[in-house]
Amino acid sequence: MSHVKTITKDTSPIQTQQAPSGMIVHLQRFSTEDGPGIRTTVFFKGCPLRCLWCHNPESIATGPQIQWLENKCIGCGTCIKTCQLGCLTKSEQGIVIDRKVCTNCGDCAETCPANAMELLGKRVSVDELLDELTKDQTYYEKSGGGVTLSGGEPMMQPDFAAALLSRLKEKGINTALDTCGVCSTKALEEVLPHTDIVLFDLKEADPEKHYNFTGHDNQKVFDNLFHVRDYILNQAPQKMLWIRTPLIPEATATSENILSLGMFIANNLKGVVQRWELCAFNNLCRDKYRRLGIAWQYDNTPLMTRAAIQELEQCAKLSGVDPRIVIATGATRITD
Ligand code: SF4
Ligand code: SF4
């Protein structure tokens, strides 16, 4: 994980009028999971959905959030003295943050000598980010990779996303947008011209289940997917569209859901979508939840078995889509 320097301390929610600067959480360099080749993924802060299984909880809130890193803490107590609001106390488990009072001002992170208090979320300018992202341009070119905007939801900061993607394109860098599809169509129109690849999430076919799993029904998701499809067909046939479906135990990972989504893709996106990724649930994010003081209902859920993933992959391949576009990704356990 690589961090970019903070240019201003900003604890306010996202301000889309202040482009070209935006709120991001971190950069993931040498990523091979967010589009083709070797990529740098920029994780944006803020998401309109509340997926029960979210693997990036630090990206959900629009503003910065403080977290305490146990493995770095030397127990000096400087943070406790720094906090003017008295939010911090020491317990047997370590530093405890009273999140009802904490304003996420970041003062404790600035004084911590061990970087054990960390403010997640930084406002950065397009220029500053560009300096970081172009460092790996050689890797992008050699591997057929580039830069992917993810999050959170990049489309919550469309001015910033469009400005960043446009500057990357000027430098000849391949660009990808990873979106949950819940955004205004106007925002999509602003960003699509600067995007080479759209990684579009289709999580759940049933609207009521989609609402229960994410807090939104899926009408806007389908509307925006049709918009992306029509844009590619009519204006930009060289652009690529990948569909991504998270396989979540006792939620989206059912043969019924995969068959329904597959039939939708076969009936509506034929010839436009190059890849349908089935992304296996992972529990690597459980420490992120603990550090943010958020309970996670999947805390004790194991990885899915290889057999379960293969069964769903088979459903996808029999749903009517071109079987060659179906790819299962992510870690699995070998036995039950
Ligand atoms: S972020 Fe600010 S308010 Fe919160 S614990 Fe640190 S110093 Fe206190
Ligand atoms: S200032 Fe940093 S190292 Fe010291 S107790 Fe607080 S979190 Fe731990």
Side-chain angles (χ1 to χ4, degrees):
M1 183 188 304
S2 168
H3 291 267
V4 289
K5 270 190 310 184
T6 307
I7 55 167
T8 55
K9 187 164 153 184
D10 184 348
T11 57
S12 62
I14 288 165
Q15 301 161 33
T16 53
Q17 299 308 312
Q18 288 192 356
S21 76
M23 183 72 74
I24 68 164
V25 191
H26 61 88
L27 305 182
Q28 176 78 52
R29 295 171 77 178
F30 302 105
S31 167
T32 54
E33 295 176 356
D34 297 308
I38 293 172
R39 313 190 74 81
T40 299
T41 304
V42 185
F43 288 88
F44 278 50
K45 200 108 170 62
C47 184
L49 298 185
R50 295 293 180 268
C51 302
L52 298 175
W53 56 82
C54 178
H55 288 20
N56 294 314
E58 73 282 17
S59 302
I60 297 173
T62 53
Q65 288 165 288
I66 200 79
Q67 69 171 359
W68 175 68
L69 302 169
E70 181 179 10
N71 59 339
K72 289 189 175 177
C73 181
I74 56 173
C76 67
T78 307
C79 55
I80 297 172
K81 289 186 206 123
T82 300
C83 182
Q84 301 281 313
L85 299 177
C87 303
L88 300 176
T89 49
K90 210 174 198 172
S91 77
E92 279 183 13
Q93 285 72 43
I95 300 295
V96 178
I97 304 168
D98 183 347
R99 292 188 181 274
K100 290 200 187 84
V101 183
C102 172
T103 58
N104 295 299
C105 71
D107 287 352
C108 54
E110 281 178 16
T111 58
C112 172
N115 296 324
M117 298 299 296
E118 183 181 24
L119 195 64
L120 295 165
K122 297 172 182 185
R123 181 160 289 280
V124 293
S125 70
V126 167
D127 284 340
E128 187 182 14
L129 204 43
L130 213 55
D131 283 347
E132 280 294 313
L133 296 171
T134 50
K135 284 179 185 166
D136 291 334
Q137 187 158 2
T138 310
Y139 294 105
Y140 309 151
E141 286 167 2
K142 287 201 167 146
S143 67
V147 171
T148 299
L149 308 192
S150 183
E153 174 51 57
M155 301 307 295
M156 284 186 78
Q157 303 181 69
D159 298 349
F160 175 56
L164 178 59
L165 292 174
S166 143
R167 295 287 300 282
L168 287 163
K169 291 299 302 165
E170 280 170 20
K171 293 193 174 291
I173 294 175
N174 179 276
T175 58
L177 168 71
D178 175 17
T179 180
C180 70
V182 176
C183 62
S184 73
T185 305
K186 186 169 169 290
L188 262 185
E189 284 170 350
E190 190 179 346
V191 173
L192 281 178
H194 313 293
T195 310
D196 295 311
I197 307 165
V198 181
L199 311 174
F200 201 106
D201 286 0
L202 273 186
K203 303 176 200 294
E204 170 59 55
D206 181 272
E208 198 178 325
K209 287 183 182 168
H210 195 282
Y211 181 87
N212 292 335
F213 297 154
T214 71
H216 271 262
D217 73 28
N218 51 14
Q219 189 57 52
K220 191 72 187 167
V221 176
F222 287 123
D223 288 350
N224 277 332
L225 183 51
F226 287 135
H227 185 81
V228 172
R229 176 199 63 185
D230 294 345
Y231 175 78
I232 291 175
L233 281 175
N234 299 324
Q235 295 181 54
Q238 76 284 4
K239 293 188 192 282
M240 292 168 68
L241 174 62
W242 290 12
I243 301 295
R244 305 216 288 185
T245 300
L247 299 179
I248 310 299
E250 295 174 27
T252 62
T254 66
S255 50
E256 183 191 12
N257 184 42
I258 297 304
L259 277 173
S260 298
L261 290 177
M263 286 192 292
F264 171 84
I265 293 168
N267 292 333
N268 296 285
L269 302 174
K270 199 167 178 209
V272 183
V273 60
Q274 289 80 28
R275 183 167 161 125
W276 180 18
E277 273 187 12
L278 305 176
C279 312
F281 165 82
N282 80 61
N283 50 24
L284 295 174
C285 54
R286 60 163 66 116
D287 282 345
K288 295 186 190 178
Y289 278 93
R290 287 177 193 157
R291 291 198 291 261
L292 288 167
I294 302 171
W296 189 42
Q297 77 175 66
Y298 291 88
D299 202 56
N300 295 312
T301 304
L303 296 180
M304 294 172 71
T305 62
R306 190 174 294 172
I309 299 287
Q310 283 171 343
E311 195 179 317
L312 293 168
E313 190 179 358
Q314 201 53 25
C315 280
K317 288 180 174 171
L318 295 172
S319 65
V321 301
D322 180 344
R324 290 170 300 179
I325 72 168
V326 177
I327 312 274
T329 65
T332 59
R333 64 196 157 103
I334 294 167
T335 56
D336 285 315

